[in-house]
Structure formats: structure tokens, C-alpha cells
Amino acid sequence: MPEGKIVKALSGFYYVLHNDKLIQCRGRGIFRKNKITPLVGDEVVFQAENDLEGYILEVKERKNELVRPPIANVDQAILVFSAVEPDFSTVLLDRFLVLVEFNHIEPLICITKMDLTNEAQKQVISEFAEQYRKAGYEVILTSSETEMGIELLNPHVENKISVFAGQSGVGKSSLLNVLRPDLELKTNDISTHLGRGKHTTRHVELIQIGQGLIADTPGFSSLEFTNIEAEELTFCFPEIQRASENCKFRGCLHVTEPKCAVKSGVESGEIPEYRYQHYLDFLQEIKDRKPRY
């Protein structure tokens, strides 16, 4: 039986990529019975008489899956944040990073619209970029207008399934249009009244960029820490996790515990104060969460 990858799901049809051809498939009734929903990114076994009448017979084991956007087997999340319009937000970026780290997906931070920054703004963004690099993240500064940084982004896309994520209006579609000009994805100016982009992507689809696949999605529509427990949050901040290995108490949450290496790291400047503050805020949010029954 042939195998392929679902690259688009629309109106009950699954479009399976097999030998550079797209086969339109439906899911077998057994999936509904077993409460399995095939997802974009799934490796599947299928049978097809022709390109329009295929059936998915089996969904292979997933290495990960996201609920919003509904996609499986993601290798990396390209977190797209603008330097300005809208302004760069460390707290929003850190929310995305925590969710990506928790799902064991490799993050790549991409800061766009660098062509719109003045010298002072450029300096601020460069300092943030260095701090995130020091924490252990890959950071690329880009501009869709001047194509700055695009040559650095291209190698990260090859042979991977990537999700573009970030708030509306930061230039995700513009960036995809530069990576693959024939796409001509629609983009709209930011609504100054709402402060966010008007363009929304309606369904999940994997777009071929070179030898890689990128999902142009609305991003994570839920940024709640629904499944993260308090003791797991440390592992979603790489620099806090590294420092925590030297905490006196095992299971230290780095709040009021004595001889906490994380708090020492903040005092010495090894860990940026805003990152630690976001950690404390997120920790409180998790603790305040209503228990699930």
C-alpha cells in the first residue's frame, strides 16, 4: 500500500502528497469509530484508484500534535514577531516559547519589519535578540521589504515541517511570499483601530518551500497553559532550567525557596529580569487555574 503525508485538510477531504502528486482522500469510517481524526502533517497509508478517489487506511504514529492549529509531526515553530507595528512584545513571545517548548517543538525566533526601525529601536531589538540567543534560542532579524535575513532563514526551513506562529499583523504572510514569491498570499495593512492584521488564514495547509513544508496558520489561537503543571514550567525556560540544576532543593519553584540558583542568576544578570518575571507570572497563572475534573 502506498504511503504519503497529509498536506491539506478541507471540507472532509484530505490531500495526501505522494511522489510529488496530490491525492484527494477521504477518511475511513473506522477513524470516526475509534475517534481518530487525521491531521495535516500525518504520515498515512492510503489506497487510491485515481487522484480524486482515495481512502486513508492508517494514520502512522505521531511524534507530536497541536490542537490549535490542528497539525501533527511538527519539527519547528517559527515564531514571527515584528520589531514595530505592532511593537515587539517579550511577554507574548515568552508565552509562545513556553507552549512550543512544552510540546517538544524546536523554536526559531524571527523578528520582522527591521526596515521600519529607527536607530534606537534597532539597538533595543538587537539587545533582546542577544539575550534570547544567550538563553539558547536561534534568533533571525528579517525584513520582507529589503529581504534582510532571508538567506539565514532558508536553511532552517529545509527538510522540516514548520509552523509559522505569531500575533496578527506581524508579517507572516509577507515573509512566506518572500520565501516563495509565486504564492501571492493576501496580506492587509494593520487596522490602526484594532492594532492587528485583518488577514486571517482559514484552514491549515502545508506549503512547499524548497525541500521543506511550512504551515501558514492563524498560529496558536489558544495561549492558555491548560496542560502545563507548575513543576513543568522550569523546563520551558532553558536558562532557568540550566540554573535550577544548582538549586539546593529538588523541585525548587524559584519563588521563595532558600539557596535558589535561579534567583542568584537573576541577581547576577545571568538571567534577564523580565524573563524571570514572566516565569513568575506564568507560574501564578498555572497555580490559579481552576482544577479540571
Side-chain angles (χ1 to χ4, degrees):
M1 287 290 176
E3 296 185 12
K5 188 193 300 288
I6 298 175
V7 295
K8 184 163 87 168
L10 191 61
S11 305
F13 288 103
Y14 301 99
Y15 296 84
V16 177
L17 185 65
H18 172 70
N19 291 342
D20 292 327
K21 276 177 72 175
L22 272 188
I23 317 292
Q24 181 177 285
C25 295
R26 285 192 179 276
R28 274 273 154 91
I30 187 87
F31 292 129
R32 281 193 296 278
K33 188 179 170 189
N34 295 336
K35 295 186 177 171
I36 296 170
T37 302
L39 294 175
V40 168
D42 272 333
E43 299 285 345
V44 296
V45 178
F46 70 98
Q47 69 177 39
E49 297 298 317
N50 53 57
D51 295 352
L52 295 173
E53 296 175 69
Y55 283 92
I56 292 172
L57 305 177
E58 181 191 343
V59 174
K60 299 280 198 175
E61 190 177 348
R62 296 166 180 157
K63 70 174 181 182
N64 58 41
E65 67 179 270
L66 298 173
V67 178
R68 298 189 187 98
I71 187 169
N73 300 317
V74 178
D75 295 307
Q76 75 178 347
I78 300 174
L79 303 180
V80 185
F81 277 71
S82 54
V84 291
E85 296 182 21
D87 290 340
F88 184 67
S89 166
T90 56
V91 67
L92 194 55
L93 174 57
D94 286 349
R95 287 190 86 86
F96 273 93
L97 284 168
V98 165
L99 289 163
V100 167
E101 294 276 7
F102 183 72
N103 283 288
H104 305 292
I105 296 169
E106 188 72 27
L108 169 66
I109 300 168
C110 178
I111 303 176
T112 60
K113 301 189 184 181
M114 288 302 293
D115 57 299
L116 300 181
T117 56
N118 59 35
E119 283 308 312
Q121 291 165 329
K122 219 176 241 103
Q123 182 64 33
V124 169
I125 294 298
S126 295
E127 285 171 11
F128 277 131
E130 276 312 305
Q131 288 164 355
Y132 278 99
R133 286 183 187 120
K134 192 177 171 190
Y137 294 111
E138 188 80 38
V139 184
I140 298 175
L141 307 182
T142 68
S143 162
S144 298
E145 287 297 313
T146 66
E147 300 197 9
M148 164 193 175
I150 299 302
E151 76 287 351
L152 299 174
L153 189 56
N154 271 320
H156 288 281
V157 174
E158 289 297 296
N159 302 309
K160 289 178 182 171
I161 293 182
S162 305
V163 171
F164 261 39
Q167 69 189 118
S168 295
V170 295
K172 297 192 291 291
S173 294
S174 298
L175 208 53
L176 278 170
N177 284 337
V178 175
L179 288 168
R180 198 181 128 183
D182 65 302
L183 284 175
E184 296 179 355
L185 292 173
K186 288 180 187 167
T187 60
N188 281 317
D189 295 333
I190 295 171
S191 160
T192 50
H193 178 63
L194 295 171
R196 60 176 185 260
K198 300 172 196 167
H199 165 63
T200 54
T201 313
R202 304 245 173 242
H203 64 275
V204 179
E205 180 174 353
L206 290 174
I207 298 162
Q208 190 125 20
I209 309 271
Q211 294 303 306
L213 294 164
I214 292 182
D216 178 29
T217 77
F220 296 80
S221 54
S222 171
L223 290 174
E224 305 300 315
F225 302 135
T226 313
N227 300 313
I228 304 175
E229 301 302 330
E231 57 274 12
E232 295 172 312
L233 188 60
T234 291
F235 300 98
C236 300
F237 286 79
E239 72 274 49
I240 290 178
Q241 185 196 350
R242 287 194 297 270
S244 72
E245 290 168 12
N246 296 313
C247 288
K248 182 177 181 185
F249 295 102
R250 204 168 169 178
C252 179
L253 288 178
H254 328 302
V255 184
T256 56
E257 298 90 338
K259 298 194 177 171
C260 168
V262 170
K263 286 189 286 183
S264 299
V266 177
E267 285 163 17
S268 70
E270 273 297 299
I271 296 170
E273 200 161 325
Y274 64 90
R275 285 273 288 168
Y276 176 62
Q277 189 56 54
H278 296 162
Y279 166 82
L280 293 179
D281 293 344
F282 299 164
L283 185 66
Q284 194 58 50
E285 190 178 318
I286 289 166
K287 286 178 175 177
D288 291 345
R289 187 177 64 207
K290 287 187 174 67
R292 286 172 294 163
Y293 298 103

